[in-house]
Amino acid sequence: MSAHEHAGNGIKAVTGDEAVSAGGRDRGFTRRRLVGAAGVAGLMGVSGFGGEVLGRRRGLDAASASSPDELRYPFRGEVQQGILTPAQDTMYTVAYTVTTRNRDGLRRLLTAWTSASEKMVAGEPVGGAENDVELPPSDTGEVWGYPPSGLTITFGFGRSLFVDEHGGDRFGLKDRMPRVLADGVPKFANEALRAAASDGDILIQTCSNDPQVCVHAVRNLTRIAFGSATLKWGQIGYGRSSSTSKEQRTPRNLLGFKDGTANLKAEDDAELLRRHVWVQPEDDAAASWLNGGTYVVARKIHMHLEVWDRVRLSEQQEVIGRDKYHGAPLSVSDPQDSDEFARPDFAAPGRDGGTAIPADSHVAVVGADNNQGVRMLRRSYNYTDGNDSLGRLDAGMFFVAFVRDPRTGFYPVLKKMTEKDALTEYLQHQASALFAVPPGIREGDALVGQRLFE
Amino acid sequence: MKNTKYLLVPATFALTLSLASCADNPQASSGASASAGDTHKVTVDITDDTCTTNPSQIPSGKVEFSISNKGTKPNEFEILTENKLQIASEKENIGPGTTAELTTALKQGTYYTACKPNMVGNFVGLSELEVSQGDDVDVSEDTKAAEDRAIAGYTSYVKDQTGQLLTATQEFAQAYTSGEVEKAKTLYPLARQHYERIEPTAEAFGIEEAGDLDAALDARVQDLSTDAHKEPTDPEVLKGWTGWHRIEADLFGNDDSPFHFASDEERQQAADDLTENTQKLYDLVYGQIKGVDGDFELKLADVATGASSLLEEVAKSKIVGEEETFSHTDMYDFRANVEGAEVAYGNVADLVRKKDPALAESIESNIETVKALIEEQVSGRTDDGTETFRDYSLVAAVQKDAGEAPDASAYTETQRKFSDAVNALSEPLSKIAGTVLH
């Protein structure tokens, strides 16, 4: 099922307005407001990170048009696109297993992928405008004449690209493997990970405002890889509103909550990003090629939606720690839309003698205030992979976060969440992925991650 | 009996080799004629905002572009035809500070050269390249001879396989109708290999209309029943079903299989139909009868697309185990398809090597990979030394007895490996036609 169909069938996340009218209440519009104060956001919250402002300031993601279809982001820059880029409507992320045996073959693959990606994000056909009727077209054609729709293509390198399952050096890159990849992702409580849908040698994240543009990108990159790499797993995600304006409403996840206020704020400066997102020279001397890059952690989190939907509203709100309609923390009494970005007061008293925000609520467990100020740049999407054979929606969140060091910036929060968060009862982690995301493709670079090979 | 042995596997390899070696001979002559016409050299200098060629006028024939990227960006050099739309030849991703060679043959005419920094955006330095009438006559004559050899070589192969098919079919029919069940089961996949090796070509043949021989010889009950909107076991469907797979369903079915013939008379009838139609195929290929399109004749396009079409068969029905849904002898068909592809390619290999050596190398190494994977499924040998394969349903998720196809998630690691290797081979094979045809 394509993400197109999701949208067409109305499965797309309900917006704030629709939720309000469905509830028969007149609370007006919820506008996303960008505040400078450190806020708290749940892990589950769809990223409300205001990348557009940061992007503009860094000159990285200045879009060339205002319509979502016409958006076009530069391919080359200090950091890869698709990280700070304002999150597009659709994501199609795939992981490949590299089958070529030698370093030259790997370089050739990355070079071919880089060329094709640069063309696709510019809205041009792969292989150029060739017209030889005796050849299969180099470009598969399903977006010929379409605008790039804000397409970004982002690459990551997994542990298994550096070493095989026996620790052997696959491509002469072993001594440059980042420590974070060598350490791997620890095991967490309540997870049921499927190896076939986890990790991989190379990750490619494609995001755009048109699902077909994403599918075209993945299809052509996969075709280019035949003989050098094969698809291991793929995930289509949806659930962003189409506006890239600051006025964009906070999207809702499939639990119906819009608690994605933001971990990192649009106004946060480069210093905060350096501290929490970008790998710094002092981090890992052996992996200096990754300086200015980042790590992406992804978790496929299945939601038991049928069960969740039978939970009383008061209990749902206590599980999340926020008001469902407005998104305000429960420490705000009689909340309004404008309270969405209010800072949670974990000490505020509740009705039954406890705190208004229960200690095991999602917000309390994973919020930055309660996690040594840990922050990450989240870029998650909702997913629906049809239904299982019992007729239950196979749906949830494809959680994606970019962090400087997951050992301090992600695992501790996830550990706490899987052990203490009341929400865990309604979730199951089904897949996990960790990749090193090289810094941007510089002017003059022939391939992504060129510094790894220099 | 001697003939039977000859048609078994080692003979195919011998045939492939002989074709390859016969294709090797002309290499000497093509070298000689190439030296008769010089390779014209053009220097291309690239910066980020210029793209100059020197000279800008050359005679037609073989041209070697020596490209030097003195800019700061990876660049692409393109030669466009007069309409500035169609790319005659190109070199992608020439790194900054590096050089690259592009060798191509250009006919007389007006061309344009241009660059594309970072391989995107508008052309930079679009300029005219005038190709005057030169010495490409030798080149085309040489090519024409190679093309004629390719067609002749592949035609002989099709004839040879059809001849072997007829003998093997008759032997199989004899065993089947005389109740030698085990012998018939052994002969079934071996006889079919000759058909599978030339499948795309054989499929196109027709006596009354295109494809009617294939429908009579190789129809699958899955297709017949869906066309008729009926169940595969429907008596009407079974009544109209002839050929190899009808006999396969009877021969390999369980005791209570609904696909068994009701009587030995029906068996005899099915076997007679099979040999009769195979005889027709033979007569057509050997020019003893005319088909719907007149005399049997192959074109260069049949050879150029032959290998690709055979791999398409593998991808669509062999790997997923749909072809031999009762006998699970898909591995024999798989190997035969690949052998046929190797021969089809072998007949144009000379042309491909000349125009695109990298493509030839990719095809040849990927053929070896696929063959090695096939070899892993060999289970043993018959008394006369013929290799036998494992029951495909033991190593793969397959469609059984024309029932439901396996779930998309059910395919095995073996099938995954086959699929990856076949994809890797099919991509370069799909470029043969564009390289060879003109």
Side-chain angles (χ1 to χ4, degrees):
Chain A
M1 180 186 283
S2 78
H4 246 324
E5 285 168 322
H6 293 313
N9 292 341
I11 303 173
K12 204 163 182 169
V14 177
T15 65
D17 291 345
E18 285 158 344
V20 167
S21 65
R25 296 154 74 167
D26 180 22
R27 306 273 188 166
F29 290 95
T30 302
R31 297 284 183 197
R32 181 154 133 229
R33 197 162 56 98
L34 301 165
V35 293
V40 172
L43 264 184
M44 293 309 305
V46 176
S47 166
F49 178 71
E52 64 273 22
V53 172
L54 283 163
R56 227 173 280 138
R57 183 157 68 238
R58 293 171 69 98
L60 298 168
D61 285 327
S64 58
S66 54
S67 139
D69 288 342
E70 299 293 339
L71 281 172
R72 184 177 150 163
Y73 295 108
F75 185 66
R76 291 169 192 269
E78 193 184 325
V79 300
Q80 283 195 66
Q81 54 172 197
I83 303 170
L84 295 179
T85 310
Q88 303 94 323
D89 287 352
T90 308
M91 172 211 80
Y92 188 1
T93 292
V94 287
Y96 293 88
T97 301
V98 175
T99 53
T100 187
R101 299 258 165 80
N102 59 64
R103 193 177 164 114
D104 281 349
L106 175 60
R107 280 193 68 138
R108 271 199 301 277
L109 171 65
L110 290 170
T111 305
W113 269 348
T114 303
S115 298
S117 298
E118 187 154 30
K119 282 208 156 83
M120 288 191 286
V121 303
E124 295 185 13
V126 172
E130 58 185 14
N131 192 23
D132 185 341
V133 295
E134 301 293 356
L135 270 175
S138 300
D139 186 288
T140 55
E142 69 269 36
V143 298
W144 284 352
Y146 282 33
S149 299
L151 175 68
T152 56
I153 302 178
T154 316
F155 295 82
F157 299 150
R159 179 183 201 276
S160 53
L161 188 69
F162 297 86
V163 288
D164 62 24
E165 66 266 42
H166 310 295
D169 194 352
R170 288 185 73 186
F171 300 105
L173 301 171
K174 186 180 179 180
D175 58 357
R176 313 191 99 194
M177 174 164 64
R179 194 68 234 167
V180 166
L181 294 188
D183 289 350
V185 183
K187 285 202 183 307
F188 295 97
N190 294 311
E191 63 184 15
L193 302 183
R194 297 171 189 160
S198 299
D199 293 322
D201 296 342
I202 297 178
L203 181 90
I204 301 182
Q205 171 195 272
T206 71
C207 294
S208 85
N209 294 316
D210 180 345
Q212 189 153 314
V213 167
C214 287
V215 170
H216 170 261
V218 166
R219 179 179 170 193
N220 281 272
L221 293 171
T222 302
R223 185 182 177 206
I224 287 167
F226 282 134
S228 309
T230 64
L231 258 185
K232 186 181 183 199
W233 55 261
Q235 184 66 55
I236 291 178
Y238 62 92
R240 293 294 311 178
S241 67
S242 58
S243 169
T244 58
S245 148
K246 283 194 284 181
E247 300 292 297
Q248 174 185 39
R249 285 184 295 276
T250 307
R252 291 177 185 267
N253 61 36
L254 293 184
L255 298 174
F257 277 80
K258 53 172 180 180
D259 73 319
T261 305
N263 247 0
L264 287 169
K265 294 293 176 198
E267 281 80 1
D268 290 338
D269 57 16
E271 169 52 28
L272 208 50
L273 289 174
R274 262 199 300 280
R275 193 162 359 125
H276 295 287
V277 179
W278 308 123
V279 172
Q280 299 303 311
E282 66 269 26
D283 291 359
D284 191 340
S288 60
W289 59 272
L290 191 60
N291 292 344
T294 179
Y295 292 95
V296 62
V297 284
R299 306 284 290 187
K300 183 175 186 174
I301 305 173
H302 172 76
M303 295 173 172
H304 301 296
L305 293 176
E306 292 78 3
V307 178
W308 172 257
D309 292 342
R310 294 173 200 126
V311 175
R312 290 177 302 142
L313 177 60
S314 60
E315 200 178 329
Q316 287 191 3
Q317 296 187 147
E318 281 165 10
V319 166
I320 300 297
R322 286 183 181 271
D323 172 89
K324 189 165 186 176
Y325 291 108
H326 307 288
L330 292 181
S331 51
V332 175
S333 54
D334 193 20
Q336 326 238 334
D337 281 347
S338 57
D339 296 321
E340 181 190 342
F341 298 92
R343 188 169 184 157
D345 177 358
F346 296 110
R351 281 168 305 183
D352 310 322
T355 51
I357 302 174
D360 66 350
S361 70
H362 183 59
V363 161
V365 171
V366 304
D369 283 1
N370 298 337
N371 286 285
Q372 290 82 46
V374 156
R375 289 159 172 220
M376 56 194 88
L377 194 161
R378 284 163 304 135
R379 224 174 179 283
S380 307
Y381 285 84
N382 299 329
Y383 75 84
T384 307
D385 295 348
N387 57 272
D388 68 14
S389 53
L390 300 179
R392 303 178 298 191
L393 286 189
D394 186 356
M397 170 172 290
F398 191 71
F399 171 86
V400 178
F402 293 90
V403 292
R404 175 178 169 186
D405 187 342
R407 295 171 301 185
T408 52
F410 180 63
Y411 306 149
V413 183
L414 187 58
K415 181 172 189 299
K416 212 167 140 194
M417 179 181 164
T418 52
E419 287 169 1
K420 299 190 174 139
D421 193 334
L423 184 55
T424 293
E425 192 181 332
Y426 303 97
L427 309 176
Q428 187 181 51
H429 288 235
Q430 296 187 335
S432 167
L434 168 67
F435 290 86
V437 177
I441 299 147
R442 301 164 295 191
E443 288 298 332
D445 279 3
L447 66 156
V448 63
Q450 185 158 312
R451 275 162 278 195
L452 174 60
F453 298 91
E454 281 169 352
Chain B
M1 254 355 210
K2 184 171 180 282
N3 196 15
T4 311
K5 276 195 176 164
Y6 175 69
L7 61 86
L8 298 177
V9 180
T12 315
F13 285 98
L15 183 64
T16 312
L17 284 173
S18 71
L19 284 168
S21 61
C22 120
D24 276 347
N25 293 333
Q27 282 244 306
S29 65
S30 86
S33 61
S35 66
D38 287 339
T39 297
H40 308 292
K41 295 194 192 275
V42 177
T43 309
V44 183
D45 280 324
I46 302 176
T47 66
D48 291 350
D49 42 21
T50 62
C51 183
T52 55
T53 51
N54 183 34
S56 60
Q57 271 199 323
I58 47 165
S60 58
K62 207 171 175 187
V63 196
E64 185 184 297
F65 292 88
S66 300
I67 311 160
S68 161
N69 182 0
K70 294 167 180 160
T72 63
K73 295 173 178 174
N75 220 312
E76 179 174 293
F77 175 68
E78 296 189 4
I79 303 156
L80 305 157
T81 55
E82 195 167 7
N83 62 14
K84 296 181 200 168
L85 292 173
Q86 195 171 329
I87 298 168
S89 197
E90 65 169 4
K91 191 87 189 171
E92 264 195 4
N93 218 338
I94 306 154
T98 68
T99 59
E101 306 284 313
L102 172 65
T103 305
T104 186
L106 294 177
K107 290 184 213 161
Q108 183 190 359
T110 301
Y111 296 82
Y112 287 88
T113 56
C115 293
K116 256 193 179 189
N118 289 333
M119 283 68 76
V120 291
N122 295 327
F123 292 121
V124 167
L126 189 73
S127 49
E128 200 177 297
L129 178 72
E130 197 59 46
V131 178
S132 59
Q133 184 56 50
D135 51 9
D136 62 348
V137 184
D138 285 351
V139 176
S140 63
E141 248 181 18
D142 184 49
T143 304
K144 180 77 176 74
E147 288 170 0
D148 289 345
R149 275 194 306 276
I151 298 167
Y154 197 60
T155 304
S156 320
Y157 180 68
V158 172
K159 283 185 174 175
D160 181 67
Q161 288 302 313
T162 310
Q164 295 185 41
L165 174 69
L166 184 59
T167 317
T169 304
Q170 287 161 343
E171 196 192 355
F172 164 76
Q174 175 61 33
Y176 172 64
T177 52
S178 60
E180 295 175 85
V181 174
E182 286 315 308
K183 185 179 177 189
K185 282 184 174 178
T186 306
L187 293 178
Y188 169 81
L190 299 176
R192 278 183 52 71
Q193 288 188 112
H194 303 292
Y195 192 82
E196 293 290 332
R197 285 189 188 119
I198 56 170
E199 193 171 14
T201 313
E203 274 176 6
F205 296 155
I207 304 296
E208 305 291 336
E209 57 177 332
D212 61 5
L213 276 178
D214 184 61
L217 285 169
D218 203 32
R220 304 183 312 159
V221 72
Q222 301 97 309
D223 300 329
L224 294 176
S225 61
T226 48
D227 285 354
H229 307 291
K230 291 189 163 91
E231 289 300 311
T233 49
D234 190 286
E236 283 297 308
V237 172
L238 293 178
K239 219 174 109 187
W241 183 25
T242 62
W244 283 107
H245 295 301
R246 179 66 193 94
I247 295 174
E248 178 204 4
D250 176 59
L251 186 60
F252 290 88
N254 298 324
D255 287 347
D256 55 355
S257 165
F259 293 103
H260 282 310
F261 282 120
S263 66
D264 282 343
E265 285 71 38
E266 284 184 18
R267 282 190 185 94
Q268 187 66 53
Q269 185 59 50
D272 290 348
D273 281 348
L274 181 72
T275 44
E276 226 170 80
N277 284 315
T278 308
Q279 181 71 54
K280 276 188 197 164
L281 177 65
Y282 178 90
D283 291 345
L284 180 67
V285 167
Y286 280 82
Q288 288 158 20
I289 56 170
K290 280 185 197 299
V292 63
D293 301 321
D295 286 330
F296 165 67
E297 191 189 354
L298 287 175
K299 297 188 170 60
L300 186 61
D302 298 317
V303 193
T305 58
S308 197
S309 306
L310 278 155
L311 266 288
E312 201 179 301
E313 297 286 342
V314 172
K316 269 166 37 195
S317 60
K318 272 63 175 206
I319 292 175
V320 294
E322 280 180 18
E323 180 78 10
E324 307 287 357
T325 183
F326 302 99
S327 65
H328 308 303
T329 53
D330 306 82
M331 282 309 304
Y332 294 84
D333 299 358
F334 185 172
R335 178 171 67 182
N337 285 161
V338 172
E339 285 167 351
E342 192 177 9
V343 174
Y345 166 70
N347 279 286
V348 292
D350 213 24
L351 292 163
V352 177
R353 283 187 201 118
K354 202 160 107 187
K355 292 191 184 168
D356 192 342
L359 179 65
E361 195 195 318
S362 167
I363 291 170
E364 286 158 26
S365 71
N366 278 304
I367 285 178
E368 292 311 313
T369 307
V370 172
K371 279 162 63 180
L373 284 176
I374 292 172
E375 212 52 36
E376 286 176 16
Q377 299 305 324
V378 171
S379 60
R381 285 177 188 277
T382 60
D383 293 343
D384 63 1
T386 311
E387 282 182 332
T388 56
F389 283 102
R390 272 185 205 105
D391 179 321
Y392 193 53
S393 67
L394 299 179
V395 294
V398 301
Q399 183 188 34
K400 289 188 177 164
D401 299 338
E404 209 174 284
D407 189 79
S409 62
Y411 295 117
T412 66
E413 190 59 32
T414 301
Q415 281 167 299
R416 173 80 207 220
K417 279 186 190 162
F418 280 144
S419 182
D420 288 345
V422 165
N423 277 333
L425 173 57
S426 301
E427 281 294 322
L429 285 182
S430 73
K431 298 193 176 99
I432 291 179
T435 309
V436 169
L437 301 180
H438 46 85

